[in-house]
Amino acid sequence: SVFAAIVSALPLQEGPLNKRAYPSFEAYSNYKVDRTDLETFLDKQKEVSLYYLLQNIAYPEGQFNNGVPGTVIASPSTSNPDYYYQWTRDSAITFLTVLSELEDNNFNTTLAKAVEYYINTSYNLQRTSNPSGSFDDENHKGLGEPKFNTDGSAYTGAWGRPQNDGPALRAYAISRYLNDVNSLNEGKLVLTDSGDINFSSTEDIYKNIIKPDLEYVIGYWDSTGFDLWEENQGRHFFTSLVQQKALAYAVDIAKSFDDGDFANTLSSTASTLESYLSGSDGGFVNTDVNHIVENPDLLQQNSRQGLDSATYIGPLLTHDIGESSSTPFDVDNEYVLQSYYLLLEDNKDRYSVNSAYSAGAAIGRYPEDVYNGDGSSEGNPWFLATAYAAQVPYKLAYDAKSASNDITINKINYDFFNKYIVDLSTINSAYQSSDSVTIKSGSDEFNTVADNLVTFGDSFLQVILDHINDDGSLNEQLNRYTGYSTGAYSLTWSSGALLEAIRLRNKVKAL
């Protein structure tokens, strides 16, 4: 079993993970979610969600072996809908979650092996010619291909191509792993003595896997592509943000391998992208509506208002907790917060299932969504969007408390704080929504706001508890009327998003 495999690797390492014994899969065969209260649920669900996440990754120590080692299936569902493929973006996001587990648990060897198999598979996929192009094209054009078959062959059917967020997220995930290897495992890889591995050193990984993805980003960051929902071609806040992150994060790694000229190119392009994200050229920050517009082209066409869960998912993926980041638009950005608040307000009215909730709610992708999980009719809330919605207030509280940062409330994020976090008149009776107020770190008001942020995050996880499958797995969506699970079952990304939410919650509550 997956958990038995993890346990078997634990004696090789020192750290928190081997202080507790994970139950074997047999313990989950009759598992049923305890809905008594949120704390009871979360105490067990972190292990359960980790199980479901690992179950969808192919590697020798795992349970799913119907794919090349390192393959991540989006879902075991093969029909209605068929998600039995490996997406570049989804796989990278999944391994960012695996890295969170690895980092929190002192470089567990089994998890490290899974990551390195993923890196090995990435090498092969990069060099698989596909409908988007090939590795040998200018700037490795074929890297924009969004998905592949589980045997590593190209998917040749019609699809939304290219998708320019995948190479950036993969470069960031693998770069982050190299930093973990250096800081947690004395610079030593774990698979270099295995057969059929395309690297023998961290420098091999940098030069032959990370750098091509970064070259793709440098070559195509100003080209249009499809969004993370694979529906619209154009310019996208999410894509530009993860591209900027990948470039900025890799600067020091390039320098560490004496690739100074490329490091300079990374740095200058990251700066250009940062200006593009914040400025009028990108058009993402719209002061007419005071929120982030995910796709400015669609707003100009009057086909969408620009609200999208991608505008807070992107900031969460690009700003790991405790990390000093040169990437803009963390969740404390007032425009990100206002986008989050306005989407919540829309979804509360849009989805009947949310009538039961006064604070958090089940959140969908964007208001105009018509994808129902297997076709087009009416859009539904998504479990992953709801889990990420819980992460926003958790991260706000964690960042403020861990760094003793003041909390600033202004006219843009006023509505969010005043409605859901604290009645601002209790802090200053003369305060007006057009003012700016700073809540000083360590004050009674600060502690109240931080605690209330955690409580607000909990209200989203309560929604998940109310609608999660009895076995602890998470589908893609929940029906907007009934709340019953729908769409692809055991969606890997859903389990990963919930895992990250529980991780953040645990960390902020430990402060």
Side-chain angles (χ1 to χ4, degrees), residues 292-307:
I292 303 293
V293 174
E294 212 292 316
N295 184 331
D297 303 323
L298 294 179
L299 181 69
Q300 293 171 4
Q301 298 164 13
N302 295 315
S303 59
R304 286 197 196 169
Q305 57 184 298
L307 295 175

Side-chain angles (χ1 to χ4, degrees), residues 349-403:
D349 293 333
R350 186 172 298 275
Y351 303 131
S352 300
V353 68
N354 286 331
S355 62
Y357 303 105
S358 59
I363 304 297
R365 299 189 298 177
Y366 54 90
E368 302 84 0
D369 197 0
V370 297
Y371 177 57
N372 62 18
D374 189 34
S376 296
S377 58
E378 293 181 306
N380 294 308
W382 283 46
F383 281 107
L384 69 88
T386 306
Y388 281 117
Q391 292 181 43
V392 172
Y394 290 152
K395 190 169 191 299
L396 287 170
Y398 180 89
D399 289 349
K401 293 184 70 174
S402 63

Side-chain angles (χ1 to χ4, degrees), residues 189-208:
L189 300 170
V190 296
L191 286 182
T192 52
D193 295 331
S194 303
D196 300 322
I197 298 299
N198 294 301
F199 51 82
S200 59
S201 67
T202 55
E203 186 171 12
D204 284 348
I205 292 174
Y206 164 71
K207 288 184 175 179
N208 299 321

